[in-house]
Amino acid sequence: MKNPARKNVVPQVLIQTLKTHPVILALIGFVVLFSALYPERFLTPLNFSTILKQFVTLTLFALGPSIVVVTGSLDLSYVGIWMLGGILVWLLMPITGMFSILVIPLLGLVTGFLIGVIQVKAKIPSFILTLSLLVTYWGITATLSGGYPRSVREYAFITASLIPHLPTAFLWSIPIILAAIFVMKRTRIGTYIYAIGSNEEGAQLAGINVDKHKILAFTLSGLFTGVGAVILFPHLGGAAPVELNLNNVVGPLVAIVLGGTPLVGGSGGPQRTILGALTYAVVYRGLLLSLLHPEAVQLLVGLLLIVSIVVGSRGLKGVTIT
Amino acid sequence: MSMATPAEAPLLEVRGVSKTFDGVVRALDEVTITVHQNEIVGVVGENGAGKSTLMKILVGVYAPDKGELYYRGRRVPFPRDPKEAAGRGISIVYQEKGVIPHLQVYQFLLLGHEDKYVKFSSLQIDTMKRVAGEILEELRVDCDIESFMYELPLSTQKMVEIAKAILSIRLEREDTDTTPIIILDEPTAPLAIEERQGLFNDILAMKRNSSFIFVSHIIPEVREFADRVYVLRDGKQVAYHDLTREKVTEEDLFRAIVGRGSSEYLYKPGLEKAVGEEIALTASNLTKNSYYYDISFHLHRGECIGLFGPAGSGKSEIIRTIAGLVGFDKGSLTVKGQTVKADELPHLRLERGIGYFSGETGKELFLNWPIAKNISIVNIGRILLTGRVPVISFSAERKMAERIVKKLRIAAPSVNTDCTSLSGGSKQKVSVGKWLERSPDILLLEDPTIGIDVGAREDIYEVLLEMKKSGASMILVSDDPKEYSILCDTIIFIKGGRMQRVLSPAEFREVTAA
Amino acid sequence: MARPLFSQGWLRRNMTTVGPIVAAIAIIVGFQAVNPFFLSHDGMITLVYAMSYFLIAACGLTFVVMMGSFDFSVVSLLKLAALLCVLYMDKLGFLVIPLALIISTGLGFINGLFVARFNVPSFMATLGVSVVVEGAALYLSKGFLHIIYNETFRSLATTFIAGLPSIFYWAIGIWLISTFIAIYTPFGRRTYAVGGNLIGAGLSGINVERHRIYVFMLSGFLAGLAGVLYMAQLGGGSMLIGADMPIPLFASVVAGGTALTGGVGGPHRTLLGVIIITWIQAGMLMLAIGRDTQMIVFGLIALGMSVATIDRKRIKIIK
């Protein structure tokens, strides 16, 4: 079908994009709002670099799980991979030297594969499965570390500043983001993951090996989290904590849902998640800069999560744990 | 079974196919069908007659126990998976679950065949779009290849599915002059009534270069569009008609499908007298767009109204609307003088005195509960220790259940037996038993005796007639005319979602016997 | 001919009942063998303290799981109720107890509203509510440790009757009432019905929407009650109250035999689960196994028991 009004194409595309990505409007709205409220604090290079730093944290955590959310499942193991990976690096450092960092992607890969296999074979709801695994990893982390955060300084060079006001971690995250988008949008695996999320039975009937691709989705999620954690490890101070912080778990979840990947699956994905992460980072920073009590900020973030969840749950059917 | 052999060898012939599940259930028994170039072959039968099993064997989902497959007169092995079947030129369009709503049209068309469009592990999106556009243009399917499947109307979705089936045959075929054979499994089931004719016109247009196997239990459609029709019953081929040469009525087909002639219809005179003057329920101009239109009737106390019509006529949606499972768009529904809101939840219907009894296993039954609990769930008020304190008396519950079990002759070791372990007939009896105990003012019956043996049927009819005698009104929807003859005082004939005629039992008997 | 006491078929059918009992006995005997202090009077009191508040909260969660849903916010509500007591006891006196209970029940209502009215999956809805509640708790407590000096309040949980602290009797009382509700009342029957067959429940005249809200309110109420009594037992606390609780709590419900798919199990079974979990916890403490390793153990128990109890026949597609 040819479009009769050719010159209207650009505004039409724009309207279409805004329709499918309403979060862009919210993002612009928040930036304008905060800039108007306190320009001297919000519109500073330092502030933008802080926002970008948080954007990187959120994105690298949320990128992998957003692939799993497309299938309609959930993966909460990301913080666990980062924590346990950090401690394994510290343990391996004296033995394997600078190669130790590679243990994190490996851990991510194995974890993701394991979750996928258990979920598909034992049929446990992924929410419970990955939550239990997260706690287990936390326990292992704390046990291995002896209860103290262990820092490894050798990898600080990864995030050493190159361009003023532009976090190097942000530069690193670009290829990872592009890779995730490529996998989901331009490969067979990505298409199959969307198909499974949209209609699992139909995908099966179309001859797709559903179990295999569900396992693949979890494996990809673990791998992206693992690769991301290589950047996050120095980015977040070169030491993994031994205490589980609920906010670390919730933040990326908000980014995914806020970006517009519905929990029911079938649409959305990494390209939406980065939008959600950016919006979340802007809102969080804007609230912190406000004169609100810092503790009140967490309250508002919780409300944001609830709102995005309610919106993200539209049309959700057939979840076994209702 | 012999038939006139056409001059040329048939395009496809399945000869003497048998299939047994778990070594006991005989799903198919020596079935033979042929498909010729450029024709539509109907395969009809009740649920469980073996239609789906046969089709799944043709596309390689199941392997047959016995039988032979011939392609243009040459014997070939049965396909082992859908891809291999496509290589032989056979592909299937599933009833409902086939569409992937969140894929774009071109992605959906090539789903499962992406390996042909990968370069440097990246999908060649432009090539995919071109291929998809070409097939849609060729088949004159009017839609944008970049829209998402869920954005298309259901009939267009069906056409895209057919295009996908043809495309997959083209992509996988072994020799280039393969004529595609497309199996359509109940293609009109998800469609609105208005969309069905359009779909058939498109299919007829495609007959020029394809053949179709049309699986259905909607008799009028098969009679209108198929060239030849095979009737399956209990896994056996029981009838064959060449519709291009013979004059076959809907009644002929019906008789073959259910295995009973109209002369066997029971009719117990004198039932009409039980009907009272008091109006229990009124539907006026009840409409749910795409499903049924302007349905109006009065249901009197002690009356049973049957909504009779072919599958897909909208009768099931009407009864589900009255049960509160689906809403309605226009008109009004009045129960005992009170107007019912369109989006009212099912539990409020019970408060109004409407019970719903479906033969579909597990729909209203709690399968992992014992019989006693299943009977008491709608009668909780009667098994409380005292009227005031909401505490259940287990002995009262047991006594109630034992009474029902005895009355309905339910075969079970005790009332504490889980319903999962009961036979189909006994499960149905438990369902009807709880309503007997509750005795609602209005009981809705949807396929009340589907899939159960004769003895259990008679028992259930007996209970229903007894309830009717004591003043319960009923609405019946079923595929079995015999049931209407036994239970109903008034029969409303529905076709295409609209009321056609209102018949008395005597008239109904004449019509169905003609 | 002598027949075996229990046939194999009987064992298989009743595995979900026999399993937890055998496990509980094995755990008690095992830890007693390693450390004779385990079953001494002092050891028992430690155990009773560890078990009681836990049992109250677990009863509430059991109702939710029985209904086929999940309540992530139990621990947060417990924490908030406990902190409300310690923070406002001086200002409000004993009025703070009904206040804490009303607030936690109200938050349970909000959980139910999201799940029943807006069709949000329960784990996500309750996770969201629990983040907000954690925020509120942090806001109120400012992250400090607060001590309660009101001895009357503390005696709610710490009065010794027949050698055991009063919180034990509270817990057993709540457990008995919960069990009674689940088995002997229409409310309990409806909860099983909603968990067993959602559509069937509606067709059987159950107001599914309202019932789900009620059950979440019950869970919130019991979480609040557990929080109040726990604060009376502890005599003070900070944001760290219940920090290690979520996974053991969940594990104790499934370990008792209440499957995540809903419709089976019940509070009567949760008692066994709580015994198993808290006694493992106590036993490990006695063996000087840190809470870190405990987390590993409980994470794995939660997983294993979910796998063992879930009804795979009922779910075609798992997400």
Side-chain angles (χ1 to χ4, degrees):
Chain A
M1 268 193 290
K2 290 277 168 284
N3 198 331
R6 197 95 185 116
K7 58 183 174 184
N8 285 337
V9 160
V10 174
Q12 256 188 9
V13 167
L14 206 68
I15 289 167
Q16 197 58 39
T17 315
L18 287 180
K19 245 185 196 163
T20 49
H21 300 70
V23 71
I24 294 178
L25 279 181
L27 180 58
I28 296 170
F30 279 120
V31 171
V32 170
L33 177 73
F34 292 130
S35 311
L37 280 179
Y38 22 87
E40 69 286 1
R41 271 176 291 161
F42 193 76
L43 293 172
T44 61
L46 179 68
N47 187 43
F48 279 114
S49 118
T50 316
I51 289 176
L52 271 188
K53 273 184 184 157
Q54 198 186 2
F55 164 75
V56 170
T57 312
L58 286 169
T59 302
L60 292 183
F61 272 140
L63 217 48
S66 70
I67 296 175
V68 171
V69 175
V70 169
T71 69
S73 298
L74 261 184
D75 184 356
L76 302 175
S77 67
Y78 39 90
V79 173
I81 292 172
W82 166 60
M83 285 166 70
L84 183 56
I87 285 303
L88 288 179
V89 169
W90 170 73
L91 279 176
L92 287 174
M93 201 64 202
I95 310 164
T96 49
M98 293 306 277
F99 289 110
S100 319
I101 195 85
L102 294 177
V103 75
I104 308 183
L106 194 68
L107 175 74
L109 190 74
V110 172
T111 308
F113 180 72
L114 205 70
I115 295 173
V117 170
I118 297 178
Q119 207 253 359
V120 165
K121 299 293 173 206
K123 296 195 171 180
I124 315 182
S126 54
F127 162 72
I128 297 292
L129 172 63
T130 52
L131 185 69
S132 307
L133 203 76
L134 170 64
V135 173
T136 310
Y137 271 27
W138 165 33
I140 299 176
T141 307
T143 309
L144 289 179
S145 67
Y148 300 99
R150 305 289 185 175
S151 69
V152 179
R153 295 268 163 248
E154 279 85 345
Y155 297 107
F157 71 91
I158 295 180
T159 48
S161 178
L162 291 175
I163 307 166
H165 299 309
L166 194 67
T168 313
F170 175 69
L171 298 178
W172 281 113
S173 68
I174 293 172
I176 303 178
I177 293 169
L178 290 180
I181 295 177
F182 176 81
V183 168
M184 290 304 281
K185 284 289 168 191
R186 300 295 296 227
T187 70
R188 195 145 52 117
I189 294 169
T191 312
Y192 288 179
I193 288 174
Y194 278 106
I196 290 169
S198 182
N199 176 359
E200 193 166 323
E201 243 178 306
Q204 193 107 49
L205 294 175
I208 294 171
N209 186 339
V210 169
D211 283 0
K212 180 178 137 192
H213 284 90
K214 275 175 129 176
I215 296 174
L216 258 173
F218 280 104
T219 312
L220 277 171
S221 166
L223 182 64
F224 274 109
T225 306
V227 172
V230 171
I231 315 298
L232 284 174
F233 184 61
H235 179 63
L236 294 173
V242 292
E243 282 299 332
L244 187 64
N245 183 349
L246 194 62
N247 280 338
N248 280 336
V249 183
V250 169
L253 219 51
V254 180
I256 293 172
V257 182
L258 201 62
T261 305
L263 293 172
V264 64
S267 58
Q271 75 283 3
R272 296 259 184 126
T273 299
I274 51 175
L275 284 176
L278 192 59
T279 313
Y280 180 80
V282 166
V283 171
Y284 194 80
R285 191 70 201 149
L287 287 175
L288 273 186
L289 286 178
S290 71
L291 297 173
L292 282 172
H293 207 283
E295 276 97 20
V297 171
Q298 195 190 347
L299 255 171
L300 288 171
V301 168
L303 289 175
L304 187 67
L305 173 73
I306 290 185
V307 170
S308 52
I309 285 171
V310 171
V311 175
S313 306
R314 278 175 313 179
L316 200 62
K317 271 187 250 136
V319 270
T320 47
I321 306 302
T322 51
Chain B
M1 164 155 283
S2 68
M3 63 182 88
T5 325
E8 68 207 275
L11 184 60
L12 186 82
E13 181 173 7
V14 204
R15 216 179 273 169
V17 172
S18 297
K19 173 78 185 169
T20 311
F21 287 109
D22 307 327
V24 250
V25 188
R26 183 131 249 214
L28 279 180
D29 193 2
E30 295 283 335
V31 173
T32 297
I33 68 166
T34 55
V35 180
H36 294 281
Q37 196 98 24
N38 309 334
E39 71 167 355
I40 299 178
V41 176
V43 176
V44 297
E46 283 185 304
N47 292 332
K51 295 171 298 183
S52 305
T53 312
L54 180 61
M55 297 310 137
K56 283 183 175 160
I57 286 173
L58 281 176
V59 295
V61 175
Y62 297 147
D65 298 338
K66 196 155 95 44
E68 292 158 5
L69 184 67
Y70 293 87
Y71 187 75
R72 291 187 196 280
R74 189 163 44 86
R75 183 161 179 194
V76 290
F78 279 95
R80 280 166 304 182
D81 57 54
K83 222 167 186 170
E84 210 174 286
R88 308 263 159 76
I90 308 167
S91 194
I92 186 164
V93 174
Y94 289 99
Q95 185 176 347
E96 267 170 303
K97 299 286 178 187
V99 174
I100 315 275
H102 288 93
L103 289 189
Q104 289 171 305
V105 171
Y106 78 93
Q107 287 178 316
F108 177 67
L109 276 170
L110 293 165
L111 189 67
H113 305 287
E114 289 86 352
D115 46 343
K116 299 196 166 49
Y117 304 97
V118 178
K119 204 186 248 174
F120 307 118
S121 73
S122 167
L123 291 175
Q124 300 303 101
I125 306 274
D126 292 335
T127 323
M128 289 171 73
K129 282 182 182 168
R130 186 173 49 75
V131 174
E134 279 167 11
I135 185 87
L136 291 181
E137 198 161 322
E138 183 190 326
L139 299 174
R140 304 214 180 86
V141 183
D142 182 26
C143 70
D144 185 356
I145 52 165
E146 289 188 31
S147 29
F148 287 96
M149 288 300 287
Y150 66 81
E151 295 172 333
L152 305 179
L154 285 171
S155 56
T156 315
Q157 287 185 13
K158 247 328 166 232
M159 286 304 294
V160 174
E161 282 190 85
I162 294 172
K164 176 172 161 45
I166 292 176
L167 189 61
S168 72
I169 289 172
R170 296 230 180 119
L171 290 170
E172 301 295 335
R173 66 185 160 191
E174 284 145 11
D175 48 8
T176 43
D177 64 336
T178 313
T179 305
I181 300 170
I182 308 297
I183 301 169
L184 301 170
D185 188 1
E186 306 275 1
T188 53
L191 299 191
I193 288 161
E194 301 87 347
E195 294 177 308
R196 296 180 183 176
Q197 188 64 41
L199 178 73
F200 276 110
N201 291 342
D202 291 334
I203 290 172
L204 287 175
M206 278 196 257
K207 225 170 96 171
R208 281 179 292 115
N209 44 19
S210 327
S211 296
F212 291 94
I213 299 177
F214 175 28
V215 181
S216 181
H217 67 289
I218 305 181
I219 299 171
E221 284 180 1
V222 177
R223 207 173 70 93
E224 197 172 342
F225 297 103
D227 297 309
R228 296 181 300 122
V229 56
Y230 295 89
V231 182
L232 298 187
R233 188 173 69 229
D234 302 327
K236 291 191 188 66
Q237 188 176 317
V238 292
Y240 165 79
H241 297 287
D242 190 336
L243 299 174
T244 54
R245 297 177 195 193
E246 314 166 42
K247 175 110 180 61
V248 182
T249 62
E250 287 182 18
E251 170 62 17
D252 292 334
L253 284 174
F254 180 80
R255 195 190 310 251
I257 288 173
V258 300
R260 273 186 294 273
S262 306
S263 54
E264 290 168 49
Y265 293 162
L266 280 182
Y267 175 64
K268 294 180 181 169
L271 275 176
E272 304 98 305
K273 292 187 186 95
V275 176
E277 289 297 305
E278 206 181 314
I279 292 176
L281 178 144
T282 304
S284 61
N285 296 322
L286 208 59
T287 298
K288 182 169 176 60
N289 293 333
S290 311
Y291 294 101
Y292 56 82
Y293 301 91
D294 294 325
I295 304 295
S296 304
F297 59 83
H298 290 295
L299 178 67
H300 295 86
R301 189 177 134 84
E303 185 185 25
C304 178
I305 292 184
L307 303 174
F308 183 75
S313 60
K315 59 179 180 175
S316 308
E317 278 76 19
I318 298 172
I319 201 167
R320 284 180 201 157
T321 297
I322 299 170
L325 288 170
V326 293
F328 57 89
D329 296 322
K330 269 194 290 235
S332 72
L333 189 62
T334 318
V335 180
K336 289 186 278 182
Q338 286 175 308
T339 313
V340 172
K341 275 192 285 179
D343 53 354
E344 204 175 87
L345 293 168
H347 73 266
L348 289 171
R349 297 293 159 89
L350 193 60
E351 278 172 25
R352 294 182 188 280
I354 303 182
Y356 169 77
F357 170 45
S358 162
E360 195 185 313
T361 319
K363 191 158 183 180
E364 46 164 339
L365 218 53
F366 299 86
L367 286 174
N368 57 354
W369 277 13
I371 297 171
K373 284 188 179 182
N374 264 303
I375 288 174
S376 66
I377 186 71
V378 293
N379 300 300
I380 289 273
R382 294 183 198 175
I383 54 163
L384 299 182
L385 275 181
T386 64
R388 293 266 171 83
V389 194
V391 175
I392 294 171
S393 154
F394 281 165
S395 69
E397 181 175 45
R398 200 184 58 243
K399 274 185 203 130
M400 174 197 276
E402 274 166 357
R403 199 169 62 236
I404 297 289
V405 165
K406 196 163 161 228
K407 189 169 167 83
L408 291 180
R409 295 185 285 275
I410 298 174
S414 87
V415 292
N416 293 320
T417 311
D418 280 355
C419 285
T420 342
S421 58
L422 298 179
S423 71
S426 299
K427 277 180 194 155
Q428 230 103 316
K429 284 185 188 176
V430 173
S431 279
V432 82
K434 75 178 180 199
W435 292 120
L436 174 66
E437 182 62 36
R438 167 95 187 194
S439 66
D441 301 331
I442 300 167
L443 186 57
L444 308 174
L445 308 165
E446 188 177 357
D447 297 323
T449 60
I450 194 167
I452 61 174
D453 60 78
V454 179
R457 274 181 197 215
E458 298 293 329
D459 288 349
I460 287 177
Y461 293 146
E462 200 177 297
V463 173
L464 292 176
L465 287 171
E466 187 193 311
M467 288 172 75
K468 194 160 124 45
K469 210 168 184 179
S470 60
S473 314
M474 296 181 189
I475 298 177
L476 170 73
V477 160
S478 168
D479 282 338
D480 185 355
K482 185 181 169 190
E483 232 152 66
Y484 291 87
S485 287
I486 295 172
L487 296 171
C488 294
D489 307 296
T490 311
I491 291 118
I492 299 175
F493 187 51
I494 292 171
K495 195 174 177 183
R498 290 178 189 279
M499 288 171 66
Q500 305 290 327
R501 301 166 68 182
V502 179
L503 306 168
S504 74
E507 287 166 334
F508 178 74
R509 206 169 22 143
E510 272 167 37
V511 168
T512 47
Chain C
M1 207 176 87
R3 267 184 30 169
L5 190 54
F6 302 119
S7 73
Q8 264 195 320
W10 182 89
L11 198 63
R12 206 176 304 132
R13 273 198 307 280
N14 296 292
M15 199 56 218
T16 46
T17 313
V18 179
I21 295 177
V22 172
I25 295 171
I27 287 159
I28 296 167
V29 173
F31 283 126
Q32 179 66 14
V34 178
N35 190 335
F37 175 75
F38 197 66
L39 285 181
S40 70
H41 183 251
D42 286 355
M44 284 304 283
I45 294 204
T46 319
L47 267 177
V48 162
Y49 270 133
M51 249 178 69
S52 300
Y53 76 99
F54 205 88
L55 180 61
I56 299 173
C59 282
L61 181 61
T62 305
F63 275 97
V64 177
V65 176
M66 243 160 76
M67 197 176 61
S69 298
F70 192 77
D71 191 347
F72 195 84
S73 67
V74 169
V75 176
S76 306
L77 295 183
L78 183 149
K79 182 192 293 186
L80 181 70
L83 286 174
L84 282 174
C85 285
V86 71
L87 289 168
Y88 296 107
M89 182 53 92
D90 293 341
K91 281 182 210 147
L92 297 172
F94 277 90
L95 265 182
V96 80
I97 297 175
L99 180 77
L101 293 179
I102 288 169
I103 288 179
S104 52
T105 312
L107 287 164
F109 173 76
I110 292 173
N111 279 332
L113 208 60
F114 278 125
V115 175
R117 189 55 71 79
F118 300 117
N119 267 331
V120 179
S122 57
F123 53 85
M124 284 304 265
T126 51
L127 179 67
V129 167
S130 93
V131 169
V132 175
V133 171
E134 294 276 329
L138 183 65
Y139 182 75
L140 294 174
S141 73
K142 307 281 184 290
F144 298 127
L145 174 72
H146 301 270
I147 307 288
I148 212 160
Y149 296 105
N150 188 326
E151 283 308 316
T152 327
F153 176 71
R154 293 215 53 198
S155 68
L156 275 177
T158 53
T159 317
F160 274 70
I161 304 164
L164 287 169
S166 48
I167 192 167
F168 170 77
Y169 298 101
W170 278 104
I172 290 301
I174 296 289
W175 175 74
L176 282 172
I177 294 171
S178 301
T179 304
F180 182 80
I181 290 176
I183 297 178
Y184 288 97
T185 67
F187 181 89
R189 195 57 73 79
R190 288 188 202 117
T191 312
Y192 284 113
V194 172
N197 180 352
L198 199 64
I199 295 175
L203 289 172
S204 305
I206 296 168
N207 188 339
V208 175
E209 195 176 297
R210 196 172 61 192
H211 191 75
R212 286 169 123 182
I213 293 178
Y214 283 165
V215 170
F216 275 100
M217 284 169 75
L218 177 67
S219 169
F221 173 78
L222 289 180
L225 187 63
V228 171
L229 291 170
Y230 191 39
M231 181 47 75
Q233 171 187 325
L234 288 175
S238 68
M239 281 299 287
L240 287 176
I241 291 174
D244 299 342
M245 231 179 122
I247 290 293
L249 186 70
F250 164 61
S252 67
V253 173
V254 283
T258 305
L260 282 171
T261 29
V264 293
H268 54 297
R269 290 168 159 276
T270 298
L271 177 65
L272 273 176
V274 170
I275 289 176
I276 293 175
I277 295 298
T278 49
W279 291 30
I280 288 179
Q281 205 162 15
M284 287 198 297
L285 273 177
M286 223 156 272
L287 299 177
I289 295 169
R291 60 180 268 269
D292 318 326
T293 317
Q294 288 180 27
M295 280 303 134
I296 309 178
V297 173
F298 292 130
L300 293 177
I301 291 179
L303 259 181
M305 289 315 296
S306 310
V307 177
T309 55
I310 220 160
D311 186 358
R312 279 175 201 79
K313 267 179 295 184
R314 271 183 51 206
I315 36 176
K316 245 166 68 190
I317 291 174
I318 190 88
K319 290 290 187 189

